[in-house]
Amino acid sequence: MTTWRLLARTGSAINTGMCLPSRTIIQNDYCSSSGFRSFSTGKAMRTDFFKDLDSQLKAFRKKASSAMPGSDWHPLDLTVGLPPERTDILIVGGGVVGWSIAYWLKKKEKVRDGVRVLVVEKDPTYSQASTVLSAGGIRQQFSLPENIHLSLASAEFMRNINEHLSVLNDDPVDLQFNHSGYLFLASENGAAIMEENYSTQRYAGAKVTLLSPTQLKEKFPWINTDGVALASYGLENEGWFDPWMLLNAFRRKAMSMGVFQCFGEVTGFRYKTHSMPTEDGDLVELKRIRYVNVRMPNSLQYQPVECAIVVNAAGASSGKVAELAGIGSGPKHTIAAIPVPVEPRKRYIYVLHSPDGPGLDSPFLIDYSGVYFRREGLGGNYITGMSPEEEEEPETNDLEVDHEFFQEKIWPHLASRVPAFESLKVTSAWAGYYDYNTFDQNGILGLHPLVNNMYFATGFSGHGLQQSPAVGRALAELILDGDFMTLNLSALGFQRIFSKQPTLERNIV
Amino acid sequence: MALPTLMRSRGCVWTCLTVARRNLNSAPTPVAPPKLNSKLLLFLCQRFHDVEQLVSWSSWLKTWVLRRKNMYYGYTQKQYGDNVAAAFYILSMKGGFRFAGQSEWFRPNARGKFNWDFINFRDVPIEEVDMSSTLINYAGLDNFVSQRELRSLSLRGCPEVDDWFLSRLHIFQDTLEELNVSHCSRVTVGGLASLHRLRKLRRLDLSSLPRLQKPGLVRILLEEQLPHCHISGVEYSQGLETETGTETETGTEIGQLTKEYTHTHGPHRQTLTQ
Ligand SMILES: Cc1cc2nc3c(=O)[nH]c(=O)nc-3n(C[C@H](O)[C@H](O)[C@H](O)COP(=O)(O)OP(=O)(O)OC[C@H]3O[C@@H](n4cnc5c(N)ncnc54)[C@H](O)[C@@H]3O)c2cc1C
């Protein structure tokens, strides 16, 4: 809980503390008080030449020192915090995915400052970013090998996080990782799928075990096993951590490696278009982005940034950012009409207090009804949530919480699964946006075929946080090496969207 | 005369520094004031690429050494089997062990030399391991994975033992009876929470864990999970009484929060945190 409370404070610290460029030149005020002194007590009758000279010199020295290379002085009066006019790679969205990509690009560059990377984030307080509003869980219990491997690689990254993200002379990174595992429950209908998933997960190297209802009851006596046919429980590399810590660690490290950060909103792209005939003789329009328009916060001023490559990591708004580049607005029935299928979907998380609830062994439990909960801290607090039915998706204009949803949908399932939760108090709640991929609820990674310098890393629909370290590496490989090197993630590319073959997770409901 | 004034002014500077650093970081661990030599190093690093490179090499070397020491003893394993490989690993790390059914311990002498007799115990599993004050880490556990008889493990004062390490101890869940993680500077409650899987555990030593926030509470919660286990090194009252101002602070914070909850149905966390 403390970390959540520190959110606002940390948020404001970003403005004050983190905007410093990595290598600042410390400016000393050389102008100490001078030895001149006026001897007369009355008003000076004529301008004292020396006195004037002294103040003139003072002003000149000040100007000269502020014009030293490395300071942000500019002959024209400019808004501070403007992005640079030119960069190699521009990353839209400074969430955990964006900063992870920035870090890996720097890590993989062959020569120092070989690539200039700029991260553009519209909201310095991260008030709506999914990263900080998520439940912070990591699991390997997926059915797609790609997802399992992404999450295994990310767990390995987090295990060695201080080899990657520690900054000289700063505190080591502490993710506050809680190694408690995920516990999935399957009903009669889902048991067969769970077993299949289990063997895929074992094959990929995840440490998962299956539990029968009796074993389950023995291990977690507080669970009511009615209706449960099978359970799968993660033994290693699963649990939850503080998302802020991961985001901040990535950002701190990336900035220390020379990534530029700018607060502003990407409002448009300037691109060049040229047409090419396909095999069938149709004309397709290929675009190449030349400039990205970045609008400064709270003003109408914007700065076009010339760049070679754009990475779209705008989370829930990445569909909108793609529209700005003209994706999905082509003639009907061609591939140019297919939008990037990512949209915001509102999800609630409720904080519960239940003094008699499950103790230190409490895992991240996911019931077959869709309800999940996990422990938060040691004081009998829990967080819980559930994804609504497709027809009952709430409006996404704001982040208001619907408390009815808890009463009607979540609580009945929760109390029947864990009888100790029959008496509980909802102490608070919040909402966040899933970067929901409406096509197949999995990440979209790779180059857009029609805008041939815009890469995507988005659409993770509820598991983007845990995959961010590996996703960043994969994207950096794609950009700098031209192909995936460590994990082959081509199944998560745009190909599947254009050929209408969804890569779905097999859910155990 | 001048000394107290000096102290006061230095104290002031330090508190300013810690405050500035706290802002960026919500870690609960107290921040030590930066030392002069590390400040100097940072200064040099920011100005000279060579220094920066040297620093990054030295940290790379450190991890390399650690990794090499904790390597999987695959060759020994192939030649002599799991038990000898594990024994060889323990002795090379300057730890000690006892084979099942034997009373004598194998340990290296002060210069790190040891008796090679353990090679004759191919088929005898290891029962007790003492790795105290060694550099064993998560990867080093690979050498123990096949030890199915391990009953006692001491990790006292191991600087590289962290929560990930503890989360991996479930491999001994059917045998391990005694575990000592005292003086492990990196262990927190996040890793101790995974120990509930060690159903056979009878004795657990948790003394002097600097990163453990509320040792007393953790002991109570762990005893709830492991009713047959005797947990030593921690008093129930530790971290619970109001020794310092922090405890009262959290108390009032909780009070404030509950008040807030009753008044507002906070739309999202930002309003809650105000
Ligand atoms: C309630 C909830 C629970 C979740 N639980 C988990 C979980 O347990 N485990 C897990 O792994 N994942 C979870 N997730 C999902 C996870 O949070 C997201 O997948 C992940 O954070 C996505 O990261 P991101 O960096 O892509 O997006 P974000 O964090 O949303 O970052 C995108 C950033 O882009 C910025 N931006 C947008 N448009 C523009 C623009 N035009 N110009 C400039 N900047 C722009 C935004 O301000 C934002 O900061 C959860 C999500 C929610 C909502």
Side-chain angles (χ1 to χ4, degrees):
Chain A
M1 278 306 290
T2 29
T3 41
W4 300 143
R5 250 173 278 138
L6 282 160
L7 202 80
R9 263 182 276 163
T10 332
S12 60
I14 299 160
N15 281 335
T16 49
M18 296 296 282
C19 312
L20 293 169
S22 56
R23 286 163 199 278
T24 40
I25 289 193
I26 298 167
Q27 294 173 10
N28 288 323
D29 200 359
Y30 293 110
C31 320
S32 51
S33 63
S34 66
F36 286 97
R37 226 193 109 182
S38 167
F39 288 102
S40 76
T41 46
K43 232 175 156 186
M45 293 307 283
R46 57 183 176 87
T47 30
D48 187 342
F49 175 74
F50 287 104
K51 198 172 161 195
D52 209 32
L53 182 73
D54 182 47
S55 65
Q56 292 256 346
L57 271 175
K58 216 177 198 170
F60 174 75
R61 279 203 215 106
K62 213 170 196 164
K63 217 177 206 165
S65 73
S66 68
M68 289 260 286
S71 83
D72 56 3
W73 184 84
H74 199 276
L76 299 172
D77 212 9
L78 279 184
T79 328
V80 282
L82 270 187
E85 286 165 20
R86 216 165 278 117
T87 181
D88 295 327
I89 301 174
L90 186 144
I91 299 173
V92 188
V96 69
V97 174
W99 278 109
S100 166
I101 297 168
Y103 161 74
W104 281 105
L105 283 171
K106 277 288 166 188
K107 168 111 179 169
K108 283 183 69 70
E109 71 186 359
K110 296 280 182 336
V111 284
R112 181 190 292 273
D113 293 329
V115 281
R116 236 170 113 99
V117 182
L118 172 71
V119 175
V120 181
E121 165 59 48
K122 70 175 172 194
D123 179 8
T125 64
Y126 289 93
S127 59
Q128 307 213 326
S130 341
T131 302
V132 295
L133 297 171
S134 75
I138 173 165
R139 60 175 157 129
Q140 280 83 48
Q141 300 185 50
F142 291 100
S143 66
L144 275 184
E146 279 80 7
N147 281 336
I148 303 171
H149 282 297
L150 273 173
S151 158
L152 271 173
S154 299
E156 194 188 326
F157 180 91
M158 290 182 206
R159 188 162 67 234
N160 302 319
I161 193 155
N162 278 308
E163 274 172 41
H164 293 279
L165 300 186
S166 71
V167 176
L168 182 73
N169 210 30
D170 230 331
D171 299 330
V173 185
D174 175 15
L175 286 182
Q176 303 184 8
F177 201 105
N178 216 298
H179 298 263
S180 291
Y182 269 65
L183 179 66
F184 278 77
L185 305 181
S187 64
E188 205 58 63
N189 299 335
I193 297 179
M194 180 178 269
E195 263 182 83
E196 266 175 53
N197 290 354
Y198 166 76
S199 47
T200 321
Q201 289 152 13
R202 293 296 293 207
Y203 182 72
K207 301 283 187 292
V208 186
T209 130
L210 288 181
L211 301 173
S212 70
T214 19
Q215 285 169 319
L216 182 66
K217 188 78 191 172
E218 194 194 340
K219 226 176 173 104
F220 304 106
W222 40 265
I223 291 185
N224 171 11
T225 53
D226 290 351
V228 177
L230 195 65
S232 78
Y233 181 46
L235 294 171
E236 272 178 43
N237 298 332
E238 292 195 333
W240 55 88
F241 57 93
D242 186 345
W244 255 116
M245 293 291 181
L246 185 63
L247 174 64
N248 261 335
F250 267 128
R251 188 173 54 178
R252 190 181 69 166
K253 181 70 183 181
M255 288 186 25
S256 82
M257 293 166 97
V259 173
F260 295 87
Q261 155 174 265
C262 139
F263 293 117
E265 182 175 351
V266 170
T267 52
F269 297 97
R270 270 194 266 161
Y271 43 80
K272 264 204 329 214
T273 312
H274 59 107
S275 307
M276 298 254 279
T278 62
E279 276 178 13
D280 315 338
D282 300 337
L283 278 184
V284 267
E285 292 206 323
L286 292 179
K287 300 194 180 94
R288 190 168 180 85
I289 295 172
R290 302 284 309 282
Y291 292 92
V292 179
N293 293 339
V294 178
R295 199 182 71 195
M296 301 321 290
N298 307 323
S299 82
L300 290 176
Q301 185 182 11
Y302 75 84
Q303 160 98 16
V305 181
E306 190 178 357
C307 63
I309 285 171
V310 178
V311 180
N312 185 345
S317 356
S318 51
K320 230 187 270 155
V321 172
E323 263 171 43
L324 296 176
I327 293 172
S329 59
K332 266 189 188 146
H333 309 301
T334 63
I335 59 167
I338 299 177
V340 175
V342 178
E343 61 179 46
R345 291 276 173 98
K346 191 155 84 172
R347 294 290 178 266
Y348 309 118
I349 289 186
Y350 304 88
V351 184
L352 315 175
H353 182 72
S354 165
D356 306 322
L360 212 55
D361 61 340
S362 159
F364 201 132
L365 185 138
I366 302 192
D367 188 44
Y368 55 79
S369 59
V371 171
Y372 66 83
F373 84 87
R374 72 159 168 85
R375 182 166 59 74
E376 167 74 47
L378 301 175
N381 292 316
Y382 304 85
I383 64 173
T384 179
M386 175 187 197
S387 289
E389 299 288 325
E390 184 75 32
E391 314 81 61
E392 292 172 4
E393 282 289 349
E395 288 293 313
T396 54
N397 321 337
D398 54 32
L399 286 173
E400 269 320 303
V401 175
D402 177 6
H403 282 266
E404 300 276 286
F405 185 74
F406 177 78
Q407 293 298 341
E408 285 166 17
K409 306 282 177 189
I410 298 183
W411 189 68
H413 292 295
L414 205 59
S416 77
R417 186 55 68 215
V418 183
F421 280 153
E422 265 162 22
S423 64
L424 55 76
K425 206 168 81 194
V426 179
T427 49
S428 81
W430 75 82
Y433 295 124
Y434 264 20
D435 41 346
Y436 193 80
N437 172 354
T438 52
F439 180 70
D440 60 8
Q441 292 85 53
N442 273 313
I444 302 174
L445 286 183
L447 191 60
H448 194 278
L450 298 183
V451 182
N452 59 21
N453 60 349
M454 190 187 232
Y455 287 84
F456 282 78
T458 182
F460 299 102
S461 332
H463 45 257
L465 176 69
Q466 57 188 285
Q467 299 187 336
S468 57
V471 161
R473 185 181 64 185
L475 221 77
E477 285 169 0
L478 210 55
I479 293 173
L480 297 180
D481 302 327
D483 207 350
F484 295 117
M485 309 300 279
T486 41
L487 287 176
N488 184 359
L489 300 172
S490 35
L492 297 179
F494 273 95
Q495 187 58 35
R496 70 185 203 269
I497 296 170
F498 290 126
S499 58
K500 303 215 162 48
Q501 286 167 333
T503 0
L504 288 164
E505 269 289 323
R506 298 215 297 164
N507 286 324
I508 343 150
V509 180
Chain B
M1 274 294 280
L3 194 64
T5 348
L6 189 73
M7 296 273 278
R8 216 179 314 134
S9 68
R10 275 176 54 167
C12 167
V13 171
W14 280 357
T15 41
C16 292
L17 276 174
T18 35
V19 168
R21 292 174 72 189
R22 284 300 282 183
N23 275 343
L24 306 177
N25 197 331
S26 50
T29 42
V31 194
K35 286 197 204 77
L36 187 66
N37 53 359
S38 67
K39 271 201 288 196
L40 181 71
L41 192 62
L42 183 72
F43 175 84
L44 290 174
C45 257
Q46 282 178 338
R47 248 139 270 249
F48 303 105
H49 285 170
D50 318 26
V51 180
E52 195 185 4
Q53 194 65 46
L54 273 175
V55 167
S56 81
W57 275 339
S58 85
S59 81
W60 176 86
L61 193 71
K62 235 186 252 164
T63 47
W64 182 80
V65 167
L66 198 64
R67 196 167 293 162
R68 213 199 42 161
K69 283 196 167 164
N70 282 291
M71 235 171 22
Y72 179 53
Y73 282 40
Y75 178 76
T76 323
Q77 196 270 339
K78 238 182 246 152
Q79 300 285 317
Y80 299 97
D82 293 327
N83 300 328
V84 171
F88 188 25
Y89 166 72
I90 295 168
L91 291 174
S92 331
M93 293 295 280
K94 299 206 177 77
F97 67 92
R98 189 175 64 75
F99 282 117
Q102 302 260 324
S103 58
E104 148 208 21
W105 279 72
F106 283 85
R107 274 182 197 282
N109 66 13
R111 299 208 335 269
K113 296 272 180 295
F114 46 81
N115 181 348
W116 288 83
D117 285 350
F118 64 86
I119 291 202
N120 305 325
F121 293 87
R122 275 194 193 203
D123 303 322
V124 192
I126 293 174
E127 202 170 66
E128 281 192 66
V129 174
D130 175 12
M131 294 300 283
S132 36
S133 313
T134 61
L135 283 178
I136 185 174
N137 72 1
Y138 181 91
L141 266 183
D142 284 344
N143 291 303
F144 290 152
V145 173
S146 46
Q147 292 303 320
R148 290 284 164 240
E149 304 274 317
L150 191 69
R151 297 224 328 260
S152 161
L153 178 63
S154 171
L155 301 166
R156 190 187 155 86
C158 292
E160 297 298 326
V161 166
D162 55 6
D163 294 341
W164 293 87
F165 187 100
L166 296 190
S167 78
R168 213 181 163 195
L169 289 179
H170 72 88
I171 49 181
F172 308 124
Q173 60 183 354
D174 298 325
T175 57
L176 198 67
E177 290 173 6
E178 223 182 300
L179 180 65
N180 184 347
V181 289
S182 58
H183 299 274
C184 288
S185 52
R186 292 167 67 176
V187 165
T188 74
V189 65
L192 294 176
S194 69
L195 294 186
H196 70 87
R197 294 169 189 149
L198 304 174
R199 287 286 165 194
K200 284 271 165 61
L201 210 59
R202 293 292 172 269
R203 263 192 300 276
L204 177 62
D205 191 344
L206 296 183
S207 48
S208 305
L209 298 178
R211 297 265 310 274
L212 194 59
Q213 296 261 302
K214 290 183 181 148
L217 180 59
V218 171
R219 173 173 178 189
I220 295 170
L221 291 172
L222 266 174
E223 280 179 349
E224 212 173 86
Q225 302 298 325
L226 302 164
H228 306 297
C229 181
H230 174 73
I231 298 176
S232 58
V234 175
E235 295 305 320
Y236 290 118
S237 53
Q238 234 170 302
L240 291 182
E241 81 260 38
T242 26
E243 262 170 58
T244 50
T246 47
E247 203 54 37
T248 43
E249 191 186 296
T250 41
T252 49
E253 263 181 69
I254 289 167
Q256 273 170 7
L257 274 173
T258 33
K259 221 187 295 160
E260 258 173 60
Y261 301 146
T262 47
H263 287 308
T264 54
H265 292 281
H268 62 91
R269 241 181 283 168
Q270 283 293 306
T271 45
L272 267 174
T273 47
Q274 273 159 12

